[in-house]
Amino acid sequence: MVFITDFNEGDMISNVYLCKNKQTGTTKSGKTYYNLELVDKTGSIAGKVWELTNAIGHFEAKNFIKIDGQVTSFNNELQLNIKKIRIADEGEYVEADYMPCTKKDIEQMYKDLMALVESLDKDYYKVLLKKFFAEDPAFVKEFKNHSAAKSIHHGYIGGLLEHSLAVAKMCDYYTTYYPVLNRDLLITAALLHDIGKVYEISKFPENDYTDAGQLLGHIVMGTMMIRDKINTIDNFPAKA
């Protein structure tokens, strides 16, 4: 496997990559070409198919494709000039090589998150957080494996957990210097502030905005999720 991050101008590439996007264009002379975005776990690169010959087999976005081409440079950015394409056969690739993932241990981060939950003083905050992070296995699975964004930050598997935990830990740190801060409220808010992203952004390999994400956004959806959980908790205070 030759990863995208290791490409150099002039390299001849014959390997499998995930086609994240495929667009058809037309040159000024009327010739059809393909503009592709190819990805693996190390990054992405533009792929250009200028000649739609018999060597370019049928494929669609989200397919794993075997490509043959050369790394070139355009406007100081590397791209692939592709001559051959076919859909990759099963066994020619390992999916994990094409999904960007946190470098941190997901299970250890989850344990650290639950330790923060257990450290809270007010029971109603603990109950609320456990409704999400202990009693809802489907949500926990999504939260552990979701990205925190399409591209801006933590846009990889485990990114949502990594980001939320980091924010919560920073809030915990601030409360050691400023005792006036409401530690329980800050940590609870930090852990829940981005939970709507499990519905705003689709899973890999797409990792793109869903219809609900476009229409509502993660803040609105997250607020609705928190409201629904709070409604199942007896005597949750209106002002915590």
Side-chain angles (χ1 to χ4, degrees), residues 169-206:
K169 284 183 174 181
M170 284 191 288
C171 289
D172 190 25
Y173 174 78
Y174 294 148
T175 62
T176 65
Y177 279 85
Y178 303 100
V180 69
L181 295 174
N182 185 333
R183 178 178 183 272
D184 283 20
L185 177 59
L186 278 175
I187 290 175
T188 300
L191 293 177
L192 296 178
H193 82 283
D194 267 350
I195 58 172
K197 288 186 175 179
V198 300
Y199 301 115
E200 180 186 51
I201 301 171
S202 59
K203 299 177 184 179
F204 282 95
E206 290 86 359

Side-chain angles (χ1 to χ4, degrees), residues 16 39 92 103 106 114 138 141 152 239:
V16 175
V39 300
E92 285 190 293
K103 294 181 173 62
I106 289 177
M114 292 307 299
K141 182 179 179 181
I152 301 300
K239 184 176 182 181

Side-chain angles (χ1 to χ4, degrees), residues 8-232:
N8 294 294
E9 185 176 1
D11 287 350
M12 302 300 297
I13 304 296
S14 180
N15 220 319
V16 175
Y17 298 96
L18 175 63
C19 179
K20 185 174 183 179
N21 291 305
K22 174 187 178 184
Q23 295 180 326
T24 301
T26 306
T27 66
K28 291 181 180 179
S29 62
K31 289 182 62 176
T32 300
Y33 68 92
Y34 292 154
N35 187 26
L36 312 180
E37 182 184 6
L38 304 178
V39 300
D40 64 23
K41 68 180 182 181
T42 68
S44 65
I45 190 169
K48 304 292 185 180
V49 183
W50 298 113
E51 300 290 337
L52 302 186
T53 66
N54 291 336
I56 306 299
H58 176 74
F59 68 98
E60 299 293 345
K62 310 304 184 291
N63 287 157
F64 288 94
I65 57 174
K66 171 70 162 46
I67 65 99
D68 288 85
Q70 184 173 24
V71 181
T72 61
S73 179
F74 180 73
N75 286 339
N76 295 317
E77 296 220 351
L78 297 180
Q79 62 181 32
L80 272 171
N81 187 0
I82 301 170
K83 301 297 186 183
K84 293 176 64 176
I85 296 179
R86 64 171 172 81
I87 293 178
D89 295 327
E90 187 175 346
E92 285 190 293
Y93 60 93
V94 177
E95 285 195 14
D97 287 339
Y98 301 88
M99 310 298 168
C101 187
T102 177
K103 294 181 173 62
K104 300 181 184 295
D105 187 313
I106 289 177
E107 291 306 319
Q108 184 58 55
M109 287 194 292
Y110 176 67
K111 289 179 182 177
D112 292 346
L113 182 152
M114 292 307 299
L116 276 175
V117 172
E118 292 294 345
S119 75
L120 302 184
D121 292 325
K122 295 183 174 64
D123 286 339
Y124 51 83
Y125 284 125
K126 284 186 184 180
V127 171
L128 174 60
L129 290 170
K130 287 180 179 180
K131 290 279 186 183
F132 285 103
F133 298 112
E135 300 171 15
D136 190 340
F139 171 81
V140 171
K141 182 179 179 181
E142 291 293 331
F143 189 82
K144 283 182 178 180
N145 293 288
H146 228 78
S147 72
K150 178 180 175 181
S151 59
I152 301 300
H153 69 91
H154 299 84
Y156 42 75
I157 292 170
L160 181 56
L161 171 57
E162 181 181 334
H163 169 64
S164 301
L165 179 62
V167 174
K169 284 183 174 181
M170 284 191 288
C171 289
D172 190 25
Y173 174 78
Y174 294 148
T175 62
T176 65
Y177 279 85
Y178 303 100
V180 69
L181 295 174
N182 185 333
R183 178 178 183 272
D184 283 20
L185 177 59
L186 278 175
I187 290 175
T188 300
L191 293 177
L192 296 178
H193 82 283
D194 267 350
I195 58 172
K197 288 186 175 179
V198 300
Y199 301 115
E200 180 186 51
I201 301 171
S202 59
K203 299 177 184 179
F204 282 95
E206 290 86 359
N207 194 49
D208 206 346
Y209 292 109
T210 63
D211 290 343
Q214 294 275 23
L215 292 169
L216 296 174
H218 70 278
I219 295 175
V220 172
M221 288 190 285
T223 301
M224 295 166 65
M225 293 163 67
I226 295 168
R227 176 204 61 195
D228 291 345
K229 295 292 189 187
I230 286 176
N231 285 341
T232 68

